[in-house]
Amino acid sequence: MPRFSIIVPVFKVQGFLRECLDSVLGQSFTDLEVIAVDDCSPDGSGAILDEYAARDPRMKAVHLPENVGLGRARNAGLPHARGDYVLFLDSDDRYTPGLLRAVADRLDVTRDPDILVFDHVRTHWWGRGGRSDAAGLLEQAGTSTFSIRDHPEYLRLFLVAWNKAYRRDFFLGHSFQYQPGLYEDAPVTYQTMVTAERIACLDRVGVEYRQRRQGAITRTPGRRHFEIFEQYEGLFAFLAERPGLDWARPLLFERALDHMLFALARPERVLRGDRREFYRRTRAFYRKHVPPGFVPPRESRRTELRLLAVAPHRAHAALGALRRVRRALGSRKLRLRNVVARRIMRCWYRLQSKRALDPNLVVYSAGHSRAVNGDPYAIHARAAELAPHLRGVWVVRPEAVELLPPGTEHVTLGSWRYYRVMARAKYWVNNRNWAGDLVKRPGAVHVHTHQGTPLKYMALDLLDRPGARHGTDVRAMLRRSDRWDVSLVANRYSEEIWQRAYPCHFTSLRSGSPRNDVLVRGGTARAAEVRDRLGIQPSETVLLYAPTLRDYRKGGHVWRVDLETLAGSLGPGHRLLVRLHPSLARHHERALLLGDLHRRGTLTDVTDEPHVEDVMLASDALITDYSALMFDYACLDRPIVVHADDWAAHLAARGAYFDITAEPPGHVTRSEEELAKVLVSGAWRDAESNRLRGAFRERFCEYDDGRAAERVVRQVLLGEPADSVAGGDGGVVNIPAAADRSARLPEYS
């Protein structure tokens, strides 16, 4: 008897069906059966089902003699189900990789509950959307089980059949059946949820819910949307037969009305000419089923529910019109308020700029003020030691305040204090450009640290790469870069690239990268603390996988390796750390797979670690593709593997200053098989790897001697001569001259 029976109703989906079936039959968890019900589909769907059934014994095709609709097609599959759990999947949707393994593990942990609910992501025809609104509830549940009577908030989970695994004995034992017509999911979902004694959740995106451009009945206006009333009449008939569920009546009454009013408000569902009748039917349902003493909950459509009891459709329509007017006025008022606020702030900034610069004030920012890390953080920490008289102030967005070390002075981006501090500060330190509304004052010194050694084309070199520079105004970028006085470089290669890509008014300081000081010095104690915090045993060999963005893919994210397979191939005594690019930290792809693998202990997701240096120190080797992280990691003199399976596509889309596959810091792999072979065989740390890394280090770690932050503090902030810090280049940085340069933008062709 299989663990799972997946029932797939099929009707006119031949263009999507193979993708759907492959997503199920290709799961890493194989103890399953697929029951595909051909609902007398007029296209080639039935033949596709027979083809799959002929080659995979886990697949069974059931052909119905006549079209019965989605709900009854699901019912037709139930007698064939033999699994412990029944799942439903619509044939134009698909499972995400690893879902069934995650479901099986959670069922084991929660001791086979009646229902297990998981998450989904909407996939629109133009691209993926975000996670569902229920993500917070799923996370909140953890590994506990509950009942709706104790936790009624879980009735707000998405009303569909395909985001749940039902224990077969529970589902069939209560004779749950989907009814004909539209909105067939709602009654069964509510019946099962209020009947179940034990419900569990899995905080994982399990289904890619396809929002088709055409053919979606829920977005096709017409009379079929009146079928919602029959569905909910069936639900309340179910309750009437079960007095033990009287406690659920007020909850389901509110949920039913909320669903009806939701449909009424959607022009893609209820036609304008039908709205009066739809509202009248909703009022009739209200009067028929309202529980004694019913009070709408605070989080519901409270005003609309109260209107249902006393007011005709014209009052409801007037309320909707009033809300639309309020939204329009509110939006216009907000835009006007923002314009006025910006003008007031600019006047405040100009007023503050008339005051003298504070020679002891230094402002820091990193990652567009969303982070407190990198080179600015290293410089700030070193300045606190060497120049305690300097006042360091961080510019941060509200969400980054919690990242600040306790007691760190800061201002919030866009606030009154922000503009006052920016107008008075002698020194500005940033690894990204400052906002365009800030005016460079004569005598102020702008230090730009960059974000590592560049491999991919940057700034001016992106002009002939329209895909890579989409959404980027190169001219505006260069105007802001004209405010730089000092550009930090870690090697002569970077110095040449920055001067080419940013033909602006700055002096290069051959300082090394301040954030790499800890890597050069070793940081053994810090590495041990990080490994302990991440739960890594001292004896474990740790490999860090750090992929970069893909400019040829919308959103920038592409999985180039199967993480579960990669982690499994490493064997006992190994740990795989995965760190996504910071811009992908909130990407839905992370929720699709990475979060679940982390929770299962397959790997460790370190994307949210605030300091990437900590992650590098904690690892024994780096696996990357084209990330600039490899240049920093080379300072550790530890093995690096470059996985370049899409180098040609990456090069065509973004461009590169040299061929990383020809001059790599270690072995290069071009397929997942090659990558696994290099890792399993131990070639990743052989003599050839050492030779390649040595040449790479000599070229790109040229000025990284562990004293880069001190060099910046002494030469830039304290004005000491270049020879005050041993190492580096020994050149003179003429800061006053740089600070007084004109910020005129040259013409660029």
Side-chain angles (χ1 to χ4, degrees):
M1 185 169 65
R3 184 61 163 157
F4 298 128
S5 295
I6 295 97
I7 297 175
V8 183
V10 177
F11 183 74
K12 293 178 67 174
V13 288
Q14 64 179 3
F16 309 103
L17 184 55
R18 293 180 187 275
E19 190 175 12
C20 171
L21 296 176
D22 289 342
S23 76
V24 180
L25 296 171
Q27 290 278 312
S28 58
F29 186 89
T30 59
D31 187 16
L32 59 91
E33 65 177 2
V34 177
I35 302 158
V37 182
D38 173 17
D39 191 16
C40 202
S41 184
D43 60 3
S45 295
I48 294 174
L49 296 183
D50 291 337
E51 174 192 331
Y52 273 74
R55 67 172 186 242
D56 194 322
R58 298 173 299 165
M59 169 86 177
K60 181 174 185 178
V62 178
H63 299 279
L64 300 182
E66 61 180 358
N67 178 253
V68 298
L70 177 59
R72 286 192 288 181
R74 289 187 186 129
N75 297 338
L78 283 169
H80 301 275
R82 299 176 298 114
D84 298 328
Y85 278 81
V86 174
L87 295 87
F88 300 98
L89 178 64
D90 287 357
S91 49
D92 55 351
D93 297 337
R94 61 183 178 182
Y95 281 159
T96 60
L99 168 69
L100 295 183
R101 167 58 64 188
V103 170
D105 291 347
R106 183 54 58 90
L107 291 175
D108 290 342
V109 169
T110 53
R111 294 178 292 110
D112 287 358
D114 298 323
I115 305 173
L116 175 72
V117 188
F118 45 86
D119 204 1
H120 71 279
V121 63
R122 291 177 184 266
T123 303
H124 301 277
W125 59 269
W126 65 84
R128 276 189 182 140
R131 294 188 65 178
S132 74
D133 294 337
L137 284 173
L138 296 175
E139 181 180 8
Q140 173 183 307
T143 57
S144 301
T145 59
F146 57 88
S147 68
I148 292 298
R149 189 165 192 169
D150 294 331
H151 291 276
E153 66 271 19
Y154 283 89
L155 277 180
R156 296 181 176 273
L157 294 172
F158 200 37
L159 281 177
V160 289
W162 41 254
N163 65 348
K164 302 172 184 71
Y166 296 104
R167 188 166 53 81
R168 184 170 64 96
D169 291 346
F170 163 76
F171 198 89
L172 297 181
H174 287 85
S175 301
F176 295 122
Q177 290 278 299
Y178 291 94
Q179 299 304 311
L182 198 56
Y183 300 104
E184 81 293 337
D185 292 25
V188 174
T189 295
Y190 285 140
Q191 289 169 15
T192 58
M193 293 290 278
V194 298
T195 304
E197 296 180 2
R198 296 177 61 245
I199 301 171
C201 293
L202 175 63
D203 179 24
R204 187 192 193 282
V205 172
V207 175
E208 293 194 58
Y209 173 34
R210 191 187 301 274
Q211 303 285 278
R212 283 195 272 166
R213 186 167 179 263
Q214 294 178 332
I217 187 62
T218 54
R219 298 201 310 277
T220 303
R223 296 287 299 182
R224 287 206 60 189
H225 292 280
F226 281 79
E227 294 170 6
I228 193 173
F229 300 109
E230 295 177 26
Q231 299 289 2
Y232 279 108
E233 286 293 345
L235 172 62
F236 276 77
F238 172 87
L239 294 176
E241 296 171 357
R242 294 164 176 79
L245 293 178
D246 284 348
W247 61 268
R249 187 177 293 272
L251 299 174
L252 296 180
F253 178 73
E254 184 272 331
R255 290 284 77 209
L257 292 172
D258 182 88
H259 198 179
M260 294 171 188
L261 292 171
F262 174 86
L264 176 61
R266 297 298 183 275
E268 69 273 18
R269 298 196 181 194
V270 181
L271 293 166
R272 177 182 292 273
D274 291 333
R275 289 178 190 170
R276 185 184 300 276
E277 181 185 353
F278 194 96
Y279 183 79
R280 180 181 58 77
R281 293 280 299 274
T282 305
R283 286 193 72 194
F285 182 91
Y286 182 101
R287 291 169 176 170
K288 180 178 179 180
H289 295 291
V290 59
F294 173 73
V295 177
R298 184 176 300 277
E299 64 272 15
S300 71
R301 302 169 185 266
R302 177 175 285 193
T303 303
E304 292 178 86
L305 291 180
R306 286 173 172 168
L307 275 179
L308 277 172
V310 297
H313 175 257
R314 58 178 175 270
H316 179 268
L319 176 63
L322 178 61
R323 285 176 171 171
R324 288 191 294 272
V325 170
R326 283 180 174 175
R327 282 197 298 269
L329 290 176
S331 177
R332 192 171 302 169
K333 187 184 299 183
L334 180 62
R335 289 196 298 269
L336 180 61
R337 187 185 301 128
N338 289 340
V339 170
V340 172
R342 284 196 296 269
R343 290 181 178 177
I344 292 174
M345 288 298 186
R346 281 199 292 267
C347 291
W348 171 248
Y349 182 68
R350 285 196 295 268
L351 181 64
Q352 293 296 313
S353 297
K354 296 182 181 299
R355 303 173 64 185
L357 288 171
D358 184 341
N360 294 323
L361 180 56
V362 188
V363 290
Y364 299 91
S365 178
H368 294 300
S369 300
R370 292 186 174 91
V372 184
N373 56 24
D375 293 318
Y377 182 82
I379 295 170
H380 177 238
R382 197 72 176 116
E385 299 172 5
L386 299 176
H389 65 282
L390 294 178
R391 176 188 170 201
V393 179
W394 275 87
V395 176
V396 294
R397 297 175 188 269
E399 62 268 24
V401 171
E402 63 183 23
L403 302 177
L404 287 163
T408 302
E409 187 176 0
H410 67 278
V411 294
T412 305
L413 187 69
S415 65
W416 294 93
R417 290 188 64 230
Y418 160 75
Y419 283 104
R420 183 172 70 239
V421 166
M422 298 306 296
R424 300 292 310 284
K426 168 75 172 180
Y427 302 100
W428 297 12
V429 182
N430 204 337
N431 61 7
R432 304 297 293 261
N433 262 320
W434 293 95
D437 62 343
L438 299 175
V439 179
K440 172 75 183 299
R441 292 188 63 182
V445 178
H446 291 217
V447 180
H448 192 78
T449 71
H450 302 283
Q451 290 185 299
T453 295
L455 171 63
K456 298 169 283 191
Y457 278 0
M458 307 290 288
L460 192 63
D461 293 324
L462 291 175
L463 284 178
D464 63 347
R465 304 279 170 167
R469 65 177 172 85
H470 178 70
T472 300
D473 187 337
V474 175
R475 286 178 176 270
M477 180 190 299
L478 294 175
R479 278 194 292 270
R480 294 175 183 178
S481 303
D482 264 319
R483 297 177 299 193
W484 303 351
D485 295 309
V486 180
S487 168
L488 305 189
V489 297
N491 45 66
R492 276 171 284 194
Y493 158 84
S494 293
E495 184 174 354
E496 294 175 10
I497 296 302
W498 296 137
Q499 289 180 359
R500 164 184 163 176
Y502 294 93
C504 303
H505 308 295
F506 59 79
T507 298
S508 295
L509 175 60
R510 297 176 175 179
S511 59
S513 297
R515 69 184 179 282
N516 289 345
D517 287 349
V518 67
L519 304 182
V520 177
R521 293 177 177 177
T524 305
R526 184 169 170 180
E529 186 276 328
V530 175
R531 288 172 70 105
D532 182 66
R533 175 161 50 80
L534 295 176
I536 300 171
Q537 299 300 317
S539 60
E540 285 188 284
T541 299
V542 179
L543 281 75
L544 170 63
Y545 176 51
T548 191
L549 294 166
R550 270 22 184 215
D551 294 285
Y552 60 77
R553 175 67 66 90
K554 182 180 179 180
H557 186 279
V558 182
W559 288 122
R560 301 306 310 177
V561 299
D562 183 327
L563 295 178
E564 188 168 13
T565 301
L566 175 62
S569 69
L570 298 178
H574 291 75
R575 178 74 68 94
L576 180 65
L577 308 184
V578 178
R579 184 178 180 88
L580 299 182
H581 190 278
S583 64
L584 299 175
R586 299 295 173 260
H587 198 281
H588 58 260
E589 283 287 354
R590 187 179 177 195
L592 282 172
L593 177 66
L594 188 55
D596 180 62
L597 293 176
H598 174 83
R599 284 188 292 272
R600 287 162 49 193
T602 305
L603 49 76
T604 303
D605 179 7
V606 292
T607 304
D608 291 334
E609 284 292 315
H611 302 288
V612 71
E613 306 90 73
D614 289 342
V615 179
M616 290 191 281
L617 283 169
S619 65
D620 298 296
L622 172 69
I623 306 167
T624 187
D625 33 48
Y626 324 116
S627 171
L629 200 67
M630 72 178 81
F631 298 97
D632 304 319
Y633 199 85
C635 292
L636 286 168
D637 198 16
R638 297 176 188 174
I640 302 172
V641 177
V642 176
H643 186 57
D645 68 325
D646 64 339
W647 173 245
H650 182 80
L651 191 64
R654 179 62 185 259
Y657 292 111
F658 70 95
D659 186 350
I660 191 62
T661 66
E663 303 174 78
H667 287 291
V668 176
T669 61
R670 298 183 183 274
S671 69
E672 291 192 72
E673 292 75 16
E674 286 185 20
L675 177 60
K677 183 178 179 180
V678 166
L679 297 176
V680 173
S681 68
W684 56 278
R685 49 186 170 189
D686 62 11
E688 177 63 8
S689 173
N690 295 339
R691 184 190 68 79
L692 292 169
R693 187 172 69 255
F696 194 84
R697 278 170 48 81
E698 184 177 352
R699 181 181 181 188
F700 297 111
C701 302
E702 189 175 5
Y703 305 137
D704 282 317
D705 60 356
R707 305 188 68 182
E710 179 181 354
R711 195 168 287 116
V712 175
V713 172
R714 291 193 183 279
Q715 294 183 229
V716 180
L717 303 185
L718 298 179
E720 296 180 4
D723 57 5
S724 63
V725 185
D729 161 72
V732 176
V733 182
N734 188 356
I735 301 303
D740 291 336
R741 286 196 188 101
S742 165
R744 182 181 64 84
L745 176 70
E747 293 299 321
Y748 302 105
S749 56

